[in-house]
Amino acid sequence: EQDGGKLSEAGLELLTGGRELAGKLDTRLGAILLGSNVEALGKTLIAHGADEVFLADAEILAVYATLPYAKVVSAVIEQEAPEIVLFGATLLGRDLAPRVASRLRTGLTADCTALKIGNYTDPKTKQEHTNLLYQIRPAFGGNIIATIVTPNHRPQMATVREGVMRLGEPDESRTGIITNVDVSLDGRDNVVEIIERVKAEKAVNLKGAPVIVTGGAGVGSKAGFELLRELAGLLGGEVGATRAAVDLGFIGHDHQVGQTGTTVRPRLYIACGVSGAIQHQAGMAESSKIIAINTDPKAPIFQIAHYGIVGDMFEVVPMMIEAYRSKE
Ligand code: FAD
């Protein structure tokens, strides 16, 4: 996935995850690249793990539009007949993947949190299927983790949210091939005319932040978040929030961490007044170090925290700020 000649991290992360899957299946990893004048990006895709890049380069593909993209991607898949196709669960991927799946008459599991290769025996027919894609994701409001398989249709398709897979280091010495895809689209393939594009840049870069200071419902108010902003600023980090804090109007949704927010894995995650619900943990449990501050010693966040402080965050956070300040 690219926009204006810039590759999205979601796509590059899929190449890291895809390489592992391809390794397990002892097969090749391809990438489909669509756009206008984007050939140079093919090399980056190869450096990130693609063996072959299917390049659809045409003026009509310069800006994403559902119908032309779906047609081109479906045609490549029909021709190459891959076992597995992955999309980033980005705005673009969420629009495109279901279109492609329905064109190809196959299934699609959205927002997977893990992908693995495994076997499956159909409980009714007793038919054994080997090397299927386990499409793993929370279901029923996060109360269960479901493993979904597509035994009878191909390709097996899934979307994966940005940040769920690790972004691997590019290896510039990798070699691969770039294959041009024939783009034969006419007016009927694009019934939407884009008159203007207005892009709102994200004000918060949670994913790239080395330190995140997150507040939950326990912060109590919009003003309470100012304290967390001070600590985050001091540590060169960003402010995160739970869904409860967002729903209570303490802070904007851009800051939400979790299953329906951003998935993060910073070096340091400080959770203040956060209970640690499973849906919140889904977005931050991979953080390198977690410090939790909560008045309730039984709060689930303490089960995954490396350092737990049982106390009132309005007493503890000012002490942390003072301690860091004194070291400046
Ligand atoms: P609470 O659970 O109310 O916890 C507040 C905590 O603050 C308590 O543990 C309390 O002891 C502590 N506290 C209170 N006062 C203080 C104080 N002065 N000092 C220190 N501690 C104090 N949630 C997310 O976060 N992200 C998501 O993406 C997300 N997606 C969801 C998706 C679905 C489908 C569903 C059903 C839910 C989702 N949720 C998500 C909501 C999630 O289930 C929880 O409701 C939410 O995470 C709770 O937020 P909280 O920890 O801020 O609030």
Side-chain angles (χ1 to χ4, degrees):
E1 180 177 335
Q2 60 82 28
D3 187 15
K6 190 173 179 298
L7 286 165
S8 85
E9 282 196 4
L12 296 176
E13 289 164 7
L14 287 183
L15 287 173
T16 311
R19 266 259 57 91
E20 281 175 28
L21 297 173
K24 291 221 171 79
L25 294 172
D26 195 18
T27 189
R28 290 158 57 75
L29 178 67
I32 309 180
L33 172 62
L34 296 91
S36 177
N37 293 320
V38 290
E39 184 170 357
L41 302 178
K43 274 185 74 177
T44 312
L45 297 177
I46 292 169
H48 276 273
D51 298 307
E52 183 166 4
V53 176
F54 299 93
L55 172 68
D57 202 307
E59 180 63 39
I60 190 171
L61 301 173
V63 175
Y64 174 72
T66 311
L67 292 178
Y69 268 58
K71 187 168 180 184
V72 172
V73 170
S74 304
V76 174
I77 294 172
E78 273 172 342
Q79 190 186 308
E80 298 299 321
E83 276 288 300
I84 296 170
V85 178
L86 307 176
F87 293 83
T90 56
L91 282 178
L92 186 156
R94 284 186 172 147
D95 186 66
L96 180 60
R99 290 287 186 140
V100 173
S102 82
R103 272 177 186 248
L104 300 173
R105 299 279 184 273
T106 190
L108 173 71
T109 306
D111 287 358
C112 289
T113 49
L115 297 172
K116 286 184 189 156
I117 301 296
N119 301 331
Y120 169 72
T121 307
D122 189 314
K124 282 195 195 130
T125 62
K126 304 285 175 243
Q127 193 185 345
E128 285 181 24
H129 300 268
T130 52
N131 288 336
L132 286 187
L133 179 68
Y134 284 1
Q135 302 152 46
I136 301 164
R137 57 154 297 158
F140 297 108
N143 289 316
I144 63 160
I145 300 292
T147 299
I148 296 159
V149 289
T150 312
N152 301 320
H153 294 268
R154 290 292 176 274
Q156 305 162 86
M157 294 202 359
T159 70
V160 180
R161 295 223 342 251
E162 194 171 336
V164 166
M165 290 178 172
R166 215 168 272 282
L167 177 61
E169 284 295 319
D171 174 1
E172 305 298 339
S173 67
R174 282 196 88 249
T175 53
I177 47 174
I178 298 183
T179 305
N180 280 300
V181 172
D182 179 31
V183 183
S184 43
L185 297 167
D186 58 37
R188 282 170 305 175
D189 292 316
N190 196 9
V191 292
V192 177
E193 185 190 351
I194 294 165
I195 297 163
E196 190 190 5
R197 289 187 87 207
V198 181
K199 247 173 114 174
E201 290 300 334
K202 264 194 170 176
V204 197
N205 179 13
L206 278 183
K207 233 190 105 191
V211 178
I212 297 177
V213 181
T214 286
V219 176
S221 67
K222 228 176 185 172
F225 266 88
E226 286 310 316
L227 193 59
L228 304 190
R229 282 205 173 86
E230 196 181 337
L231 180 60
L234 209 56
L235 300 174
E238 290 275 9
V239 174
T242 63
R243 178 154 138 184
V246 172
D247 288 350
L248 286 162
F250 298 167
I251 194 162
H253 179 262
D254 271 4
H255 293 266
Q256 186 177 315
V257 172
Q259 190 184 318
T260 43
T262 305
T263 305
V264 297
R265 46 180 100 224
R267 291 213 301 275
L268 177 62
Y269 191 90
I270 307 180
C272 312
V274 172
S275 61
I278 189 84
Q279 295 89 353
H280 185 74
Q281 290 192 19
M284 49 65 74
E286 298 274 304
S287 305
S288 304
K289 280 280 175 286
I290 300 169
I291 302 177
I293 307 162
N294 199 307
T295 42
D296 176 7
K298 293 206 176 77
I301 192 75
F302 287 131
Q303 285 163 20
I304 59 160
H306 300 93
Y307 300 95
I309 303 169
V310 179
D312 183 338
M313 56 158 280
F314 291 100
E315 286 172 21
V316 178
V317 174
M319 285 162 78
M320 287 173 117
I321 291 173
E322 205 186 302
Y324 286 118
R325 279 246 160 83
S326 69
K327 296 226 163 97
E328 266 186 325

